Structure formats: C-alpha cells, structure tokens
Amino acid sequence: MEKERLFGKTLDELKAVAAQVGLPKFAAKQMADWLYKKDIRSIDEMTNLSVKGREALKEYYEFGLTEPTKVQASIDGTKKYLFPTDHAKFIETAMIPDDDRKTVCVSSQVGCKMGCLFCMTGKQGFQGHLTAGEIVNQIRSIEENGEVSNIVYMGMGEPFDNLDNVLKSIEILTDDWGYAMSPKRITVSTIGIIPGMKKFLETSNAHLAVSLHSPFDEERKQLMPIQTAYPVQKVLDEIKSWEFGRQRRVSFEYIMFGGLNDTPAHAKELARILNGIKCRINLIRFHPIPDTPLKSSNEETLQSFKDLLNSKGILTTIRASRGQDIYAACGLLSTKALVKKEEEPDY
Amino acid sequence: MKKSTDYIKYDDELFQVALLKNDEIAPGVYVLSLPRLHDFKAGQVVKIGLPEGEPPRMYSICSGEKEDELKILFNVKGGGWLTPRLAKLQPGAPILISEPMGDFTGNDEPAWWVASGTGIAPFYSMFKSGLGKNKTVVHGGRYLQNFYFEDEFLPELNERYIRCCSQEKGGDVYHGRLTHFLDDQDNLPKDEKFYLCGSPEMVVETRDLLIRKGIPYGNIIAEIYF
C-alpha cells in the first residue's frame, strides 16, 4: 500500500489523521511542529508522540520529504534544483541570493497549460498539478532551508490553475502552526485567471503579481492565449475592486520584446490602463528560447521605457536577469527532456 | 435574454436551467443541449457547473448563433469532478450556465481552423453560424470515431476538411498526427489566420511548427483547454 505523506497537510488535516490513528486531538499540533518547525525527517523522530501512536501513524503515513536529484549553480550565485514528484515527473525550483535576501522561486505544476509564446515551460505542455506538500517541499528540501527570506510562485505552472494546493501551501507557510512566515514575504504570480485571483485575494494576504506583457488586446492574444478567455481589461477591473498598498502589493510583470511591445505608445497605454491602481511594474529582459520569433529589447529601450513609465507616476524597475547560464532565469524553467509520454496525444 | 421562466438566477454569474438533452455521440463524448438564454458570438465560451458542486468550468459553445438550443461538447475526464457527473445527467436535470464570454471568435475572412479532439467545438459553432465557406478545417484525433461532425463538415468543405487520425487508418482520412499533416504542406498561406483549439501540447507544437514554416505568429490565434 502506498503511504500518504504527512508533509503538506494542514492543521485541520492533521487533526483528521490523529483521529484516524487513535492519537489525541492535541497530537495534530505536535505533528505540525515536527513537520514545519523542526529539522527532522522521519515519524520516528516525533518523540513527543507515544511509541504506539508513531507505529500507528507509520502504518498509513510517511513523513513525506523529497530530496532534489540535481543542483546546478550559476556564476551569479543562483541555484536551480531538480525535484522528482509523484508519478515519476520532475519540476525545477530556483534559489536567487541577493545581498541578505534569499528568494525561492517555486513551481506549482509540472509543465503548464497556458501556452504563452515566450515561455519554455509552456513548450512542455502540462503533466500534472503539484500537491501542497510538493510545493512547500521546494523550500524545505533545499540547502538554504531556514535561510529563505522570500518566496515567489513564479516557477513552472500557473498557480491559479492549481488554486486549492497553492492556497493550502500558503496556509502552511503563513499560519502560526506552520512556518509562520509573513504573507508580505510571499508573491504569487498569475497570467490573470480571474476566478482564482479573486479567491486568492479573498483568502490570502500574500502579494499578487500579474503577467501583462502587452496593454493591447490583439497583441496580448498573440503572446498569451489566456487573453481570449480572460481579457486584460477584465483582470484589471477585478484588481481595481481590491485595496492594495503597503500591506499587500500588486505588481505587473512586463517582458520586453524588441520591436513588439517596447514602444512609447505601449508605455503610454500601460500607464493609461493601470491608472487608479497603486502598483509597480517590473520590466523583464526576454531570454530567447528555441523556435521563438521574439527577440529581446536593447538596454537603451529598456531604460527609456522605464523612465517614461516612472515619469507617468508608475514605479517601474528593471528586474536583474539571474541564473541565465543554468536556464534558471524567468521563462526558462523546463523539464521537457524528462517527460515520459503516458499516452499517445489526441492529435 | 430569454424570459425568466426559462431560468433561475443562481448567483452573480450563473443561471440555473433545465437540461434539454444529453447525447453520447462517441464513447465517452457527449453533447449537452440547454435553453439558449443569451446571444453569443460563435467561438465564445460559457461556464458550466452543477448546483452545490465544485466551481464551474469553461466550455466552448458548440452550436450556431441562431439555433434555439445552446450545445456543449465534452469528453469525460478520468478523475475529474464535473464531467463524469455531466455525463450522467438526464433531461430536466438542473445545470448552471454563465453568460457567453471570450474573444476566440471568427470572421468571414479565409482562415484555417486547426483542432484536436473536442477542440473542434468553437469551429463547429462558427461553421453552423455560416462562417465555414472559405475555411480549411484540420481536425486531429486518435481514432476514427473522434471526427464528431464529419457528416456535416465533409459535404460542405470537401477537400478543405482534413481528418488526421493518429491510431487508425480509414478511407480519406490522413493517417498520422495533424502536426505531420501540416508539416507536409509546402504552401501554407502566410497571409491567412490560423486558429488553434485543443490541448496545450497540440497548440504549442502546432504554433512552433507554423512559425518554422514561415507563418507570422501574429496570424496564429490559440485557445487552450484548461
């Protein structure tokens, strides 16, 4: 019998586990302490549970951590971890050091369904959702465990297409019984799946980042198929109905494609559609991928685009490219080479 | 909007209607017929759900703009919550539907419609709305039974209706994946739009292939199941 993993369970789920194996109710909190606050790796090490209770737990459950099978280090200090997931699939996680900060960029799915034209993850298609445990394991099982200052859900996958597991993972990371991190240290990035975004904003105080990439509908549709289902104007209408500021921030990600979305007209239209939203824009250098018809904007254009947006009153920064030499930079994560076809495609 | 006796307002975005018909048109593939509450543009989607169930999901409308009934094509997803339940619905059962939405709509210019599996739904809607005259339809499926509307496409489009079957051989059907068929074409029109609808894998592979063959990416419009 395949044993279920304890790691990744919420306090309520641990209460159900305790009841199932005949442990007292308070054992749920004790298990949460062992899982999320202490550095142990087995049920046997949960020494404040009775021996009988631990044996009963082990009958159905395992601790549930997964070690990375590969680590690559960039010349700039960024690391890329390869993790196996259930059902013999793989995901990548990036750890980006910056002065005293260590930011972990976690994946939420194996592959991605969204098919954005500029993204390497999209090219591998979709192979599955990660569980909450598999998401949190990307922080717990890296060498920098315990030193992580920030978490961004910007790795493989669209977080709001795996909403329940993403919300559960945030609960584990931020609740007092879990890692007790401030939600201000967590940012979830979406391409704009409105129902998921709405539920996230209702239930979490973590920051929101939205991939915009063009203020013009037809152009965005060519870059991001999601535009046909959730047009950016509707995404912005939803965002405008929420309060953002110091407690919870919203930022917009904008990859700069040379000769496509980097003109002054784009900057002006961006400023127009974002009017009324207290936000920041992160300009991102495009990292070319195979078969792409897109190219990067040059540095001069990046700077003048940034200056124009800043002059319109929108705080705009250029995100440093990190880990490009190990394919850990924005839009480059992929485990396509490790995907085993489970069935013949339907086309 | 139809008269209010046809529906009950369920919440801010959903209307509850009574299912009219549920036809299994191929093994595990169904067409739901519902009262048409709203006008729509061929190619648009609606959210479909069940009362007290999990959140609704989006489906392309699979009927013409002028038809009295609104139809939805779906296949049963193993392990899914919604589709196994939809498959068992009987006429009269309550079902939730949203207003039409989305922007994957066609026009009367020449274009290629490329679909895999149930991704044919928005193109069938466009076809039934009179937009099929100057279109080339490329439909991919694993088996011969996956070409759900061939009896209607074939007489009207003739050689401009191409079925690509990867697992079975049959008649005038191209044996192989639709990507192989497209790759075999030497003169794909660079000034026509290519509309793609289907699985993410099909869409990204086909899009890359078309770009390699010289189609400007601005002429490739995709809708992905998610």
Side-chain angles (χ1 to χ4, degrees), chain B residues 204-217:
Chain B
V204 293
E205 194 178 332
T206 305
R207 187 177 58 198
D208 282 354
L209 184 148
L210 293 174
I211 290 169
R212 275 201 306 278
K213 291 183 80 71
I215 308 298
Y217 70 86

Side-chain angles (χ1 to χ4, degrees), chain A residues 112-130:
Chain A
C112 184
K113 295 178 197 166
M114 302 300 143
C116 298
L117 181 63
F118 46 82
C119 179
M120 199 61 190
T121 306
K123 283 185 181 285
Q124 81 177 64
F126 173 74
Q127 286 82 44
H129 295 299
L130 296 188

Side-chain angles (χ1 to χ4, degrees), chain A residues 113 115 123 228 344 347, chain B residues 103 142 178 205 207-208 224:
Chain A
K113 295 178 197 166
K123 283 185 181 285
T228 62
E344 186 65 20
Y347 55 96
Chain B
D103 197 16
R142 288 193 192 99
L178 68 85
E205 194 178 332
R207 187 177 58 198
D208 282 354
I224 282 176

Side-chain angles (χ1 to χ4, degrees), chain A residues 44-317:
Chain A
D44 285 329
E45 293 169 273
M46 296 179 169
T47 49
N48 59 358
L49 302 183
S50 66
V51 174
K52 197 176 148 200
R54 279 179 266 163
E55 291 305 317
L57 260 183
K58 285 195 298 186
E59 205 174 314
Y60 303 100
Y61 297 95
E62 59 180 355
F63 194 90
L65 293 180
T66 306
E67 291 294 315
T69 52
K70 190 174 171 186
V71 187
Q72 290 172 274
S74 162
I75 48 170
D76 66 18
T78 300
K79 284 186 188 167
K80 186 170 76 170
Y81 290 89
L82 179 72
F83 285 100
T85 70
D86 287 343
H87 314 295
K89 291 165 183 154
F90 292 87
I91 51 158
E92 291 184 327
T93 305
M95 192 290 298
I96 307 138
D98 189 12
D99 295 331
D100 56 346
R101 286 158 63 117
K102 284 195 167 86
T103 300
V104 178
C105 176
V106 296
S107 295
S108 54
Q109 294 178 316
V110 187
C112 184
K113 295 178 197 166
M114 302 300 143
C116 298
L117 181 63
F118 46 82
C119 179
M120 199 61 190
T121 306
K123 283 185 181 285
Q124 81 177 64
F126 173 74
Q127 286 82 44
H129 295 299
L130 296 188
T131 62
E134 287 170 331
I135 295 171
V136 181
N137 181 67
Q138 295 170 67
I139 298 144
R140 169 65 190 269
S141 293
I142 59 173
E143 289 157 15
E144 295 75 15
N145 173 37
E147 304 163 34
V148 174
S149 60
N150 296 76
I151 296 165
V152 293
Y153 287 67
M154 297 184 184
M156 297 168 65
E158 161 55 45
F160 294 161
D161 188 41
N162 185 18
L163 184 68
D164 291 346
N165 287 311
V166 164
L167 291 179
K168 221 165 99 174
S169 68
I170 295 172
E171 189 184 344
I172 293 166
L173 291 168
T174 57
D175 261 47
D176 287 344
W177 50 262
Y179 284 84
M181 284 180 77
S182 164
K184 288 191 213 173
R185 292 159 60 195
I186 298 173
T187 302
V188 181
S189 178
T190 179
I191 62 170
I193 295 185
I194 296 171
M197 188 172 79
K198 204 171 165 184
K199 192 167 173 196
F200 164 77
L201 291 169
E202 281 165 2
T203 54
S204 162
N205 286 318
H207 302 309
L208 176 70
V210 178
S211 296
L212 203 52
H213 309 321
S214 176
F216 298 115
D217 288 352
E218 284 306 306
E219 193 173 81
R220 192 169 187 264
K221 204 194 282 187
Q222 292 156 15
L223 296 168
M224 307 168 76
I226 194 70
Q227 172 73 19
T228 62
Y230 294 118
V232 73
Q233 195 50 56
K234 292 214 166 139
V235 176
L236 298 179
D237 288 346
E238 180 61 39
I239 288 172
K240 281 176 185 168
S241 69
W242 294 84
E243 188 81 24
F244 291 97
R246 281 177 63 82
Q247 292 306 311
R248 180 163 64 187
R249 290 195 308 261
V250 61
S251 55
F252 293 92
E253 315 290 310
Y254 196 90
I255 302 178
M256 296 284 286
F257 302 109
L260 176 70
N261 68 348
D262 60 354
T263 69
H266 284 85
K268 283 176 195 156
E269 182 63 5
L270 261 181
R272 191 190 69 77
I273 65 173
L274 297 181
N275 186 29
I277 303 175
K278 202 171 176 189
C279 64
R280 163 199 289 254
I281 296 178
N282 290 316
L283 301 180
I284 302 170
R285 291 176 181 84
F286 174 55
H287 305 110
I289 57 174
D291 289 326
T292 182
L294 304 166
K295 55 182 197 281
S296 316
S297 300
N298 61 40
E299 289 302 310
E300 198 187 334
T301 307
L302 264 165
Q303 282 299 333
S304 57
F305 200 86
K306 182 185 108 170
D307 293 344
L308 184 49
L309 284 167
N310 277 319
S311 74
K312 298 265 178 201
I314 302 180
L315 176 61
T316 304
T317 53

